[in-house]
Amino acid sequence: MSFDEAYEALTDHDDDARWAYGTGFADPLAGVDTAVPAGVDRGDLAAYCLMLGDDALIMSHRLQQWVTRAPELEDELAIANIALDLLGQARLLLTRAAEVEDAGRDEDALAYLRDAADFRNVRLVEREDADFAHLVARLLVFATWRLALLDALTAAGDPVLAAIGAKGVKEVTYHRDYAARWVVRLGDGTELSHARMQAAADAVLPLAGELFRTHPTEARLVAAGTAVDPATLRAEFDGVWAQVIAAANLRSPSGVPDDDGPGGRDGVHTPALAGILAELQGLARSVPGGVW
Amino acid sequence: MTAAAVAARVTDPELPMLTLADLGILRAVDESGDGVVVTITPTYSGCPAMRTIEDDLTGALRDAGYPRVEVRTVLSPAWTTDWITPAGRDKLAAAGISPPGPAPRRAAGPVPLTLGPSRRAIACPQCGHAETEEITAFSATACRALRRCTACGEPFEHVKEI
């Protein structure tokens, strides 16, 4: 064996053993009929898939950062599993975005080679959590909103989005229950846990305004019967939030503020996203197409 | 052996006591000429075993004389634990893993929030005691919860209903 082959022997070296890119199997939508519905603008549909995919990708990354830092082993497992579900949803959505835009990029190129201004996630998912109470408050807001969104997406005119929605509903139902139970446990716990849970709710809820603002891309796709208007999700969100806050003996902050400035859907992000992308993309960018 | 019979005998990498057919993720096996198209469905969106399952299917079929194998994914209808076969449920129980009950039926309207522990009647797979408690809804894999028997105190895994 020559020295050049020494590293080769360390891996089961098949054609996509590109672990810098991390995905393993080639196409999570292999065999799925990926035609674009009639009357739907390809650019809009690709942008919409990016929005929902980037939400899941960045939230997943923030959750992964909690692994090894959670209070108990069971919560390590829960957070890792929730992050994995969201990563799976991100893969499906980014693959769909890549197919629809048809510009020679794949899910890896979209995840690893875009700059912050090209990401379309809501800013809520970028936030670094000050403590575990912030994490569960943020996850409750995110999962409650995303569950309502995915559920409505099952009726979307794009069969691929409808299928991703139906699958995701089963998963995010568990995510929301997990977050809600922790909010109740901490809010209805000791004086200290109550105070920290209240502070977390006060800090996180005001960030939710962006979740319910209809982006022009969404408005056009709603007219074509292919997307969910996030403004329609607010009543369900408010109901679930109120139910959890009451069970947790917390007082709700003044409610979700209206938000109509440019936001993450327009590529306007918080400074935190650059840090996330540096960690997420660093290896893939430093060794483009690297094979181990 | 037919390609369908070969594919049906491949086991799941995370639950090796189950075949893909037992687990209900093998959706179709189509032979045409010397090629085989196998259609599978993921249990969870992020299931990391999909690639291994694809490799195992391809390898088993190649060994059985089917050199051209294509593995396709189908997302809809989404997998449900109701598709685990009766034989699969027996094998789970024999391995000390409690099989899932019926998947939740959705009423019209929003998905209901569950704030308390799950109220399902799940018996202990070790001692058979009827009362067990949930330790965590997320266990070694996304598809399994961890529970504990209130009589014998043993923890056990439960395939959670989706």
Side-chain angles (χ1 to χ4, degrees):
Chain A
M1 183 191 281
S2 77
F3 184 75
D4 283 349
E5 288 165 350
Y7 292 103
E8 200 127 342
L10 296 174
T11 65
D12 56 338
H13 209 288
D14 59 31
D15 56 358
D16 56 4
R18 303 185 304 159
W19 66 257
Y21 291 78
T23 59
F25 73 110
D27 178 3
L29 290 177
V32 173
D33 180 1
T34 52
V36 173
V40 170
D41 182 85
R42 292 189 86 91
D44 281 345
L45 183 57
Y48 187 58
C49 293
L50 275 187
M51 292 176 184
L52 304 186
D54 287 348
D55 289 343
L57 178 65
I58 303 301
M59 188 68 186
S60 175
H61 193 83
R62 274 290 185 227
L63 288 165
Q64 289 165 46
Q65 292 177 327
W66 272 93
V67 175
T68 74
R69 298 175 194 184
E72 294 176 329
L73 178 61
E74 286 75 11
D75 293 293
E76 301 280 334
L77 291 169
I79 292 166
N81 271 306
I82 293 169
L84 184 60
D85 285 342
L86 291 174
L87 193 60
Q89 293 174 18
R91 290 196 56 199
L92 296 168
L93 287 158
L94 294 186
T95 300
R96 180 65 173 151
E99 280 168 351
V100 172
E101 77 166 11
D102 198 20
R105 296 195 285 187
D106 61 6
E107 53 165 325
D108 287 337
L110 289 174
Y112 293 125
L113 303 178
R114 277 181 300 151
D115 295 327
D118 298 323
F119 273 74
R120 290 291 175 266
N121 56 277
V122 292
R123 286 175 293 190
L124 174 75
V125 297
E126 298 163 10
R127 184 176 170 91
E128 186 166 19
D129 304 296
D131 70 12
F132 188 72
H134 282 247
L135 169 71
V136 292
R138 204 164 61 89
L139 183 60
L140 176 64
V141 168
F142 177 74
T144 301
W145 168 70
R146 190 171 180 85
L147 178 56
L149 198 165
L150 293 176
D151 198 26
L153 202 59
T154 59
D158 177 21
V160 180
L161 283 179
I164 293 170
K167 192 132 202 63
V169 162
K170 293 164 177 264
E171 296 159 0
V172 181
T173 298
Y174 278 100
H175 306 175
R176 188 185 64 175
D177 285 349
Y178 172 79
R181 289 172 192 181
W182 261 112
V183 170
V184 171
R185 192 162 153 190
L186 294 176
D188 196 27
T190 65
E191 198 174 320
L192 177 63
S193 75
H194 175 84
R196 282 169 69 170
M197 195 63 246
Q198 183 68 59
D202 291 346
V204 169
L205 191 70
L207 306 176
E210 188 184 5
L211 308 182
F212 303 102
R213 190 171 71 225
T214 312
H215 189 271
T217 302
E218 292 170 310
R220 288 192 296 272
L221 287 171
V222 167
T226 309
V228 175
D229 181 352
T232 63
L233 308 174
R234 194 158 179 160
E236 180 177 335
F237 177 91
D238 287 345
V240 171
W241 177 264
Q243 186 186 348
V244 177
I245 290 296
N249 282 326
L250 297 167
R251 76 188 139 63
S252 185
S254 48
V256 178
D258 288 322
D259 180 344
D260 45 17
R265 297 293 195 227
D266 306 297
V268 179
H269 295 285
T270 65
L273 183 60
I276 295 170
L277 294 183
E279 189 174 78
L280 177 73
Q281 300 179 333
L283 183 59
R285 284 191 186 244
S286 63
V287 190
V291 174
W292 274 261
Chain B
M1 207 183 316
T2 64
V6 175
R9 292 173 51 168
V10 173
T11 56
D12 179 76
E14 296 282 0
L15 294 165
M17 73 293 293
L18 298 186
T19 65
L20 302 183
D22 289 332
L23 190 57
I25 67 168
L26 188 65
R27 302 290 280 274
V29 182
D30 298 312
E31 284 186 61
S32 58
D34 62 341
V36 179
V37 176
V38 184
T39 305
I40 55 175
T41 198
T43 53
Y44 283 74
S45 299
C47 176
M50 287 297 282
R51 171 59 195 265
T52 306
I53 291 170
E54 184 184 330
D55 284 351
D56 290 350
L57 278 167
T58 307
L61 284 160
R62 196 186 295 129
D63 292 348
Y66 298 93
R68 285 183 28 224
V69 180
E70 184 188 344
V71 178
R72 292 185 186 165
T73 310
V74 61
L75 294 177
S76 180
W79 180 78
T80 158
T81 40
D82 288 348
W83 293 351
I84 299 178
T85 62
R89 287 163 197 272
D90 291 345
K91 291 176 192 174
L92 283 171
I97 299 175
S98 123
R105 294 273 173 266
R106 276 280 301 282
V111 179
L113 181 72
T114 311
L115 278 178
S118 68
R119 295 254 176 266
R120 295 175 173 278
I122 296 166
C124 173
Q126 270 100 4
C127 74
H129 185 68
E131 287 188 23
T132 61
E133 59 191 6
E134 184 174 278
I135 300 173
T136 169
F138 299 90
S139 175
T141 65
C143 57
R144 285 176 277 179
L146 200 59
R147 301 185 67 89
R148 185 190 293 115
C149 176
T150 57
C152 73
E154 284 290 325
F156 63 93
E157 290 193 301
H158 171 71
V159 176
K160 66 191 192 214
E161 298 77 10
I162 68 165

